[in-house]
């Protein structure tokens, strides 16, 4: 297939970062060979399944919603969240990437994507609202820009120009090609060697066979690794789990990414001489639910919550501030695991689920994914929860619905993987919260946070329910959701400079080897530091993939 095709660059991985790098290279007239262990149906990788959120700073969408944002405020939030504390070694390049990425998000990022055809929903979301400190973790303002078309649209705007370049003869794809080795000669990477896997017609995301059908070797002046992270490799996640920082690794994990997200290329790259940094930094979610209609093994969905649900740990105690829905993911993880259990509970009302529950995943948002204004108006503004949310409520194994709190707790105890909950104690806690609604002010920090959220036009219109008593039957039925730990992103990875060139352990560049996307910690080996501000994963793939493509495009051939 590639006998007469001599590539200038080999790209390992046809996910978003790989497509972006290939797009930039082809636009500069470079010949690119793209290898991927899955079939063509998986072009775009994990990005296809994403909600399509992108972190932008001082955008027209923000300004129309009355949100004042700036590079300075966004950088303050990023650095406060990242909490870089290895500035003599592992965080040298991640911090430089952070400054460059926030600058990109505040300047040319939106225009770059807009010129490719990407558009955004007008309401701006407020993710990772933070730990309650101006200088600590969290977004000070809403910055989550939802793509009109979700993840498949983000993939499309890069896939289509790459496919045009393929038809023009500049790009070749080699699917079902699993890279097993990076070829190093004279201290430079000169190609790849690996296994041709048996042909597969498996649908996107479905686990495919690893039966071998042959072998290959391809050479080029440069290789870009864009193979993703370790999100479905539970053994590797547990091995790297930061027990000292978050508590014991969860026994029960569910997967927010397909089975092919195995992290293989990290070890392969390290064996070739690459430096891996910040292995202990990862991004898992506390609001995972088992998928009632799964695509891949242990397929899980994340609830993207508004701030009003009451959050209880496995022992039935309400979570203290700032462990509210949507505020501080990893700090809440630590709080949950400190109980000795790996799950927790939301308790809410029908009123809250109708306005505040969104589900991660392009397939869980068919109206926005399909770019149907009619469906959006029908699903989001009509009475009742959005269709996919309602289906989880009816069919999901983690949901309990009841008319009374006693019945609700009885159902929760049937789902418990730990201690039995005491209905009287939970009633005491919920009633104490409900009494705080007798005035337009309160000492309950969660209610204060809800009122603050409703000052945002986007939240008040579409994201945050008006405060009400949880035990008021007029807002029923009552709903409980068992929340599980959901794997998602690798925040550490291959160390790279600002051109996405891979760094050796001694700090020198590894000639001919580049890395982009999650395998590079989305840039530098850990651009997020310890915490992500959301909407930053797709953007990190775009920014680092673009950097790699443009750096190699500048080189003479």
């Amino acid at each position: 297939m590639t006998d007469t095709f001599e590539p200038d660059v080999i790209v390992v991985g046809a996910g978003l970062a790989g497509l972006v790098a290939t797009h930039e290279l082809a636009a500069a007239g470079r010949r690119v060979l793209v290898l991927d262990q899955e079939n063509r149906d998986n072009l775009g990788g994990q990005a296809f399944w994403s909600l399509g959120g992108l972190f932008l700073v001082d955008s027209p969408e923000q300004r129309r919603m009355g949100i004042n944002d700036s590079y300075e405020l966004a950088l303050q939030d990023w650095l406060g969240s990242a909490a870089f504390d290895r500035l003599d070694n592992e965080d040298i390049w991640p911090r430089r990437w952070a400054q460059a990425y926030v600058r990109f998000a505040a300047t040319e990022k939106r225009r770059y994507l807009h010129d490719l055809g990407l558009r955004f929903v007008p309401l701006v979301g407020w993710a990772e609202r933070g730990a309650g400190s101006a200088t600590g973790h969290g977004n000070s303002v809403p910055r989550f820009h939802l793509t009109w078309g979700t993840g498949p649209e983000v993939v499309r705007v890069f896939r289509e120009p790459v496919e045009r370049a393929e038809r023009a003869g500049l790009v070749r794809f080699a699917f079902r090609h699993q890279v097993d080795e990076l070829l190093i000669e004279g201290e430079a990477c000169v190609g790849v060697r690996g296994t041709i896997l048996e042909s597969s017609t498996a649908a996107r995301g479905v686990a495919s066979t690893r039966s071998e059908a042959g072998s290959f070797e391809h050479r080029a002046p440069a290789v870009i690794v864009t193979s993703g992270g370790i999100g479905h490799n539970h053994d590797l996640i547990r091995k790297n789990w930061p027990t000292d920082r978050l508590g014991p690794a969860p026994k029960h994990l569910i997967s927010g990414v397909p089975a092919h997200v195995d992290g293989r290329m990290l070890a392969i790259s390290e064996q070739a001489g690459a430096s891996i940094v910040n292995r202990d930094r990862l991004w898992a979610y506390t609001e995972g639910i088992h998928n009632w209609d799964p695509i891949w093994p242990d397929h899980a969905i994340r609830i993207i919550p508004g701030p009003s649900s009451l959050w209880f740990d496995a022992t039935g105690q309400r979570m203290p501030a700032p462990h509210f829905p949507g505020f501080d993911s990893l700090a809440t993880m630590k709080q949950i695991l400190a109980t000795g259990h790996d799950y927790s509970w939301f308790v809410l009302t029908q009123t809250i689920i109708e306005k505040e529950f969104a589900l991660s995943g392009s397939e869980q948002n068919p109206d926005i994914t399909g770019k149907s204004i009619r469906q959006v108006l029908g699903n989001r503004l009509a009475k009742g929860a959005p269709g996919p949310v309602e289906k989880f409520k009816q069919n999901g194994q983690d949901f309990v619905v009841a008319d009374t709190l006693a019945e609700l707790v009885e159902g929760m105890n049937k789902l418990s993987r730990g201690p039995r909950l005491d209905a009287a104690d939970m009633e005491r806690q919920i009633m104490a919260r409900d009494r705080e609604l007798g005035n337009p002010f309160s000492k309950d920090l969660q209610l204060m946070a809800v009122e603050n959220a409703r000052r945002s036009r986007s939240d008040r219109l579409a994201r945050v329910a008006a405060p009400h008593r949880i035990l008021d039957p007029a807002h029923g039925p009552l709903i409980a959701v068992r929340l599980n730990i959901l794997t998602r992103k690798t925040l550490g990875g291959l160390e790279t400079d600002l051109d996405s060139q891979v760094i050796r352990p001694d700090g020198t560049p590894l000639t001919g080897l580049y890395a982009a996307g999650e395998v590079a910690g989305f840039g530098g080996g850990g651009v997020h530091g310890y915490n992500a501000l959301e909407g930053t994963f797709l953007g990190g793939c775009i920014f680092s993939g673009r950097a790699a493509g443009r750096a190699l495009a500048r080189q003479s051939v």
Side-chain angles (χ1 to χ4, degrees):
M1 178 179 62
T2 59
D3 289 346
T4 60
F5 185 77
E6 296 183 2
D8 300 309
V9 180
I10 295 171
V11 173
V12 181
L16 180 59
L19 289 177
V20 174
T22 302
H23 163 65
E24 291 291 341
L25 286 161
R30 302 296 189 262
R31 297 178 301 276
V32 187
L33 173 62
V34 183
L35 308 176
D36 198 281
Q37 65 185 6
E38 300 305 315
N39 61 25
R40 185 179 285 267
D41 287 343
N42 286 275
L43 268 178
Q46 299 175 61
F48 179 91
W49 299 106
S50 75
L51 190 58
L54 288 160
F55 177 94
L56 296 174
V57 178
D58 192 26
S59 69
E61 289 79 14
Q62 286 176 301
R63 292 193 291 272
R64 281 194 289 269
M65 286 291 108
I67 300 164
N68 295 316
D69 200 5
S70 66
Y71 166 75
E72 292 77 16
L73 181 61
L75 184 62
Q76 172 181 297
D77 287 346
W78 193 288
L79 295 180
S81 300
F84 294 122
D85 58 2
R86 300 165 182 173
L87 294 173
D88 292 333
N89 42 65
E90 294 183 89
D91 282 336
I92 293 173
W93 285 110
R95 196 179 195 284
R96 293 173 184 172
W97 271 91
Q99 292 173 306
Y101 179 68
V102 176
R103 177 70 68 185
F104 176 61
T107 54
E108 59 183 311
K109 180 180 179 182
R110 187 182 183 280
R111 172 55 60 186
Y112 176 70
L113 295 171
H114 192 274
D115 288 347
L116 287 165
L118 205 69
R119 300 294 183 267
F120 299 102
V121 172
L123 300 180
V124 184
W126 197 352
E128 284 297 295
R129 300 171 190 236
S133 166
T135 57
H137 171 54
N139 285 297
S140 296
V141 299
R143 296 191 178 106
F144 189 89
H145 294 67
L146 179 58
T147 298
W148 182 236
T150 68
E153 182 71 358
V154 178
V155 171
R156 180 193 70 79
V157 301
F158 292 101
R159 188 199 74 237
E160 289 184 351
V162 167
E163 289 176 336
R164 288 195 295 270
E166 181 186 19
R167 291 191 292 271
L170 283 172
V171 173
R172 289 280 184 94
F173 284 101
F175 295 105
R176 303 297 288 159
H177 279 53
Q178 176 183 274
V179 172
D180 300 321
E181 181 184 357
L182 295 172
L183 303 179
I184 303 295
E185 295 179 359
E187 298 190 348
C189 184
V190 297
V192 298
R193 183 181 292 131
T195 304
I196 300 174
L197 301 176
E198 188 177 88
S199 179
S200 171
T201 59
R204 180 186 287 274
V206 175
S208 62
T209 176
R210 288 295 177 263
S211 297
E212 299 181 7
S215 61
F216 68 88
E217 180 178 308
H218 296 298
R219 291 174 174 259
V223 174
I224 308 175
V225 178
T226 62
S227 55
I230 65 173
H232 200 99
N233 190 332
H234 291 186
D235 290 339
L236 197 51
I237 289 170
R238 290 189 175 98
K239 179 181 177 180
N240 292 331
W241 190 268
T243 303
D244 58 336
R245 183 160 44 86
L246 295 183
K251 294 180 180 179
H252 184 83
L253 284 172
I254 49 181
S255 300
V257 295
H260 63 254
V261 186
D262 53 20
R264 291 181 71 255
M265 285 305 300
L266 283 163
I268 291 168
S269 300
E270 186 176 33
Q271 187 174 5
S275 170
I276 298 178
V277 294
N278 300 312
R279 299 173 195 260
D280 62 325
R281 295 177 184 172
L282 51 80
W283 194 249
Y285 289 114
T286 53
E287 310 100 328
I289 51 177
H290 298 82
N291 196 338
W292 66 275
D293 187 19
I295 296 172
W296 54 78
D298 302 313
H299 186 184
I301 296 296
R302 182 205 174 197
I303 296 171
I304 305 175
S308 300
S309 297
L310 300 191
W311 206 334
F312 292 87
D313 66 26
T315 71
Q317 297 306 300
R318 188 178 171 197
M319 303 277 270
H323 309 302
F324 308 140
F327 275 70
D328 191 336
S329 291
L330 293 191
T332 303
M333 174 87 70
K334 181 178 181 180
Q335 183 74 22
I336 290 169
L337 295 178
T339 67
H341 306 283
D342 55 14
Y343 69 99
S344 58
W345 299 96
F346 276 168
V347 172
L348 59 148
T349 64
Q350 180 67 24
T351 298
I352 292 173
I353 200 172
E354 288 180 4
K355 193 158 189 177
E356 296 198 8
F357 267 36
L359 300 174
S360 65
S362 54
E363 81 284 6
Q364 300 299 328
N365 297 272
D367 49 357
I368 299 174
T369 300
K371 297 191 284 188
S372 171
I373 295 176
R374 177 178 295 180
Q375 286 187 16
V376 168
L377 294 176
N379 292 343
R380 311 278 168 161
L381 300 182
K383 185 172 176 56
V389 173
E390 187 62 30
K391 287 181 180 178
F392 265 90
K393 178 185 148 190
Q394 294 174 2
N395 304 310
Q397 63 177 276
D398 297 300
F399 284 72
V400 181
V401 182
D403 291 324
T404 69
L405 184 61
E407 293 171 330
L408 189 77
V409 174
E410 181 181 357
M412 295 166 73
N413 281 328
K414 290 178 181 178
L415 294 184
S416 173
R417 296 196 299 265
R420 286 185 59 82
L421 304 175
D422 183 273
D425 188 47
M426 292 196 69
E427 182 179 38
R428 176 189 61 78
Q429 295 177 77
I430 295 172
M431 288 185 67
R433 177 267 186 198
D434 283 358
R435 289 190 190 101
E436 294 290 314
L437 286 166
N439 295 285
F441 44 83
S442 170
K443 72 174 183 180
D444 187 288
L445 287 174
Q446 185 173 3
L447 288 175
M448 293 164 66
V450 169
E451 289 292 352
N452 184 53
R454 285 175 58 82
R455 296 173 68 182
S456 161
R457 294 177 193 169
S458 294
D459 274 357
R460 190 176 187 91
L461 284 170
R463 201 71 179 95
V464 182
H468 58 275
R469 291 177 172 82
I470 299 295
L471 297 181
D472 183 350
H475 294 278
L478 292 168
I479 301 163
V481 187
R482 182 183 60 183
L483 305 173
N484 310 274
I485 307 302
L486 178 149
T487 66
R488 187 60 67 87
K489 296 299 180 185
T490 312
L491 298 189
L494 298 176
E495 189 175 16
T496 59
D497 64 18
L498 290 178
D499 283 336
S500 289
Q501 185 164 12
V502 171
I503 303 297
R504 298 177 183 273
D506 65 3
T508 62
L510 203 169
T511 302
L513 186 61
Y514 293 73
E518 190 174 351
V519 74
F522 302 91
V527 67
H528 298 92
Y530 288 101
N531 289 286
L533 288 174
E534 296 293 358
T536 57
F537 300 133
L538 295 179
C541 288
I542 293 167
F543 187 53
S544 59
R546 191 181 86 142
R550 291 190 172 186
L552 286 168
R554 290 194 297 267
Q555 297 182 13
S556 60
V557 295

